[in-house]
Amino acid sequence: RPRPGPARFRGCLAGALLGDCLGAVFEGRSVVKLPELLSFLKGLEPAPPEEGGEAAGSARGESLPYTDDTAMSRSVVQSLLAKQEFDEVDMAKRFAEEYKKEPNRGYGMAVVNVFKKLLSPKCSDVFEPARAQFNGKGSYGNGGAMRVAGISLVYSDIQDVKKFAKLSAELTHANSLGYNGAILQALAVHLALQEGLSRETFLEQLISHMEHVEADDKSLSDARALGFEDLPFSRRLKKIKEFLELSSVPKADVLFELGNGIAALRSVPTAIYSFLRCMDADPDIPEHYNALQRTIIYCISLGGDTDTIATMAGAIAGAYYGEEQVPPSWEQSCEAFQETQRMAKSLYELYCQR
Ligand code: 8NA
Ligand code: MG
Ligand code: MG
C-alpha cells in the first residue's frame, strides 16, 4: 500500500483546527440557521483589494480562538513528537499542565477533576483519576475522541492505532462508551489517510472493526449499564449506511438517530456521517465551497456540540482530501495555524521513520 503523502497530514491537522475554531463560534446553540452561518463565513474571506492598497489575501479581523479540543489535540501531538511514541505519563502531564496554564478553553465540566488529581504529586497511576470519575463508571464524553487524530498520524499499523487511541483516551475517559468513540474516530482518520477508499469500503471497514472492538466484556457491560443495546457504535454506523442510501435525510432524523451532544456516542458517528454525506454536493450549501468546507458547514449547521463534531469531521475530511482543500482565508482566521503546519510536518517525518 502506498504511503500517504504530507498533504494529508497537513490537511488533517488544519481540518481539525478549522472545525474547532469555526465551530466554537456556534457551540451549544440548539439551532444554527444556515444563512447566519454562511454570512459569518463570508466575513472570513479577504476584503476586496482597495485602490492602491495592499494585496488581498489576509483574513479580516481578529483570529478565532481554539478551544479544549485543539488544546488537548496539541498535547497529544507534542507528547508523541517529544517521546517518538505513546507515553502515558508524559501525555497525562501535558494535559494537566496545559489545563493549568489556560483553564478557560472550554473544558468539559467533569474532566477538570482529572487534571487536578494528575497535578498532585501523590498521583502514582495516571489512569486512576479517570477511573474514579462518575462514581467509578468513568466518563463517556467525547473528549477522548476529539483529540485523538495525532495517534493515526504516527502509527500506520491499524492494531497500533486501536491500542494507542484507547490508552490515550483512558487518561480521562474510562467508560468504554468514551474510549470506544476515540477508537472509532482514530480508525476513521486512519482510513481517510489511505489512498482512494470509496465511501462504501470506508464504512464497511469501520463496521467490521467496531463490531470486534465492542464485543469485549467491558464494552458489553458498560453499554447495558447505561441502558443501551449491545454494540451501540456499530449499530449507529449501520444507521449511517441506511442514511447514505437515501438521497437526502432531514436534519431532525440525523439528530434523533445520531445526535449532536457531548457524549461520544452522540457525536463521533455524527462526525463520520457528516464526512461521508458531504462527499456529495448539498442543495443547501453553495457550490463554490469544496467538500472539506461543506463537511464543516454541515456539522456546524446541526447545532449542539458544534466545535467538537466539526473538529472530528474536519480531521477526517482533511486527511482524506489533503491540504489542497484547506482554504487559506479560513485557516489564517484560526489561532496558531502556523504551529499546526509545523506539527503536521514533524508528524509526517515521524510516520515515515517508523
Ligand atoms: P467530561 O468528561 O467532563 O464529559 C462531558 C460531560 O458529559 C460531563 O460533564 C457530563 O455532563 C457528561 N458525562 C460524561 N460521562 C458521564 C457519566 N458516566 N455519567 C453522567 N454524565 C456523564 O469532558 P469531555 O472532555 O468528554 O467533554 C468534551 C466536551 O466538553 C467537548 O464538547 C468540549 O468542547 C467541551 N464542552 C465545553 C462546553 C463549554 O461551553 N465549556 C460545552 C460543551 C462541551
Ligand atoms: Mg471545545
Ligand atoms: Mg465541544
Side-chain angles (χ1 to χ4, degrees):
R1 200 194 276 143
R3 269 185 191 289
R8 288 163 180 267
F9 288 68
R10 271 263 287 127
C12 179
L13 290 196
L17 181 69
L18 285 178
D20 182 23
C21 295
L22 300 178
V25 175
F26 299 87
E27 186 180 17
R29 293 204 206 167
S30 56
V31 177
V32 174
K33 293 221 171 74
L34 199 55
E36 188 191 346
L37 171 57
L38 295 176
S39 128
F40 164 74
L41 293 171
K42 241 185 147 34
L44 302 178
E45 285 161 23
E50 285 166 36
E51 292 267 323
E54 284 174 36
S58 62
R60 281 188 257 174
E62 304 257 296
S63 76
L64 301 167
Y66 64 74
T67 77
D68 58 324
D69 305 61
T70 301
M72 296 198 84
S73 299
R74 287 162 54 108
S75 294
V76 167
V77 169
Q78 284 157 355
S79 177
L80 291 166
L81 290 174
K83 295 288 170 180
Q84 306 274 294
E85 63 182 356
F86 177 76
D87 178 322
E88 64 270 23
V89 174
D90 182 76
M91 197 174 281
K93 187 163 175 245
R94 286 173 194 269
F95 288 159
E97 296 202 326
E98 171 61 36
Y99 166 72
K100 194 173 147 192
K101 193 164 61 128
E102 296 184 333
N104 298 324
R105 289 277 184 188
Y107 286 92
M109 296 267 277
V111 73
V112 302
N113 295 320
V114 175
F115 301 143
K116 287 174 187 160
K117 288 186 185 170
L118 286 171
L119 285 166
S120 156
K122 281 185 287 185
C123 177
S124 59
D125 173 359
V126 290
F127 292 107
E128 169 52 29
R131 285 197 293 263
Q133 293 288 87
F134 298 97
N135 299 316
K137 292 196 280 292
S139 173
Y140 54 64
N142 54 21
M146 73 186 184
R147 64 179 188 236
V148 80
I151 297 285
S152 310
L153 301 179
V154 168
Y155 292 99
S156 57
D157 179 85
I158 199 159
Q159 297 309 327
D160 286 340
V161 170
K162 288 187 198 173
K163 174 177 166 191
F164 296 117
K166 180 178 181 191
L167 285 169
S168 69
E170 281 178 320
L171 290 169
T172 47
H173 292 68
N175 194 289
S176 64
L177 281 115
Y179 65 69
N180 283 344
I183 295 174
L184 173 55
Q185 168 66 11
L187 286 170
V189 173
H190 170 83
L191 293 176
L193 279 179
Q194 316 306 317
E195 202 81 39
L197 271 194
S198 73
R199 182 150 86 179
E200 292 69 30
T201 315
F202 184 94
L203 198 48
E204 286 304 336
Q205 293 212 18
L206 283 183
I207 293 170
S208 79
H209 283 289
M210 289 310 291
E211 283 183 333
H212 184 73
V213 166
E214 294 191 276
D216 73 321
D217 290 344
K218 178 156 163 63
S219 298
L220 293 169
S221 66
D222 283 353
R224 285 172 194 162
L226 287 163
F228 291 113
E229 66 286 12
D230 289 352
L231 317 188
F233 283 100
S234 305
R235 269 177 188 256
R236 280 155 186 78
L237 292 170
K238 289 177 183 165
K239 180 54 78 177
I240 291 173
K241 195 174 166 193
E242 281 175 41
F243 277 171
L244 292 173
E245 282 158 9
L246 306 171
S247 60
S248 79
V249 179
K251 195 167 116 177
D253 295 3
V254 175
L255 295 184
F256 180 77
E257 296 288 352
L258 305 177
N260 65 0
I262 51 171
L265 189 62
R266 300 288 289 163
S267 49
V268 183
T270 310
I272 291 168
Y273 172 69
S274 302
F275 161 63
L276 294 172
R277 167 62 69 186
C278 292
M279 284 183 172
D280 293 336
D282 183 313
D284 297 328
I285 300 175
E287 278 178 36
H288 67 85
Y289 289 117
N290 65 37
L292 171 68
Q293 291 176 296
R294 189 156 62 233
T295 303
I296 289 173
I297 292 169
Y298 181 78
C299 289
I300 297 175
S301 77
L302 294 174
D305 196 0
T306 48
D307 63 332
T308 303
I309 295 172
T311 203
M312 295 190 291
I316 302 167
Y320 191 80
Y321 301 114
E323 67 176 317
E324 293 78 9
Q325 290 209 4
V326 177
S329 67
W330 283 22
E331 188 178 30
Q332 288 161 22
S333 306
C334 298
E335 180 184 359
F337 74 94
Q338 282 153 322
E339 221 181 318
T340 299
Q341 296 172 353
R342 283 194 290 274
M343 289 193 295
K345 188 166 174 283
S346 304
L347 283 170
Y348 179 67
E349 286 161 9
L350 179 55
Y351 185 93
C352 291
Q353 272 172 36
R354 292 188 63 89

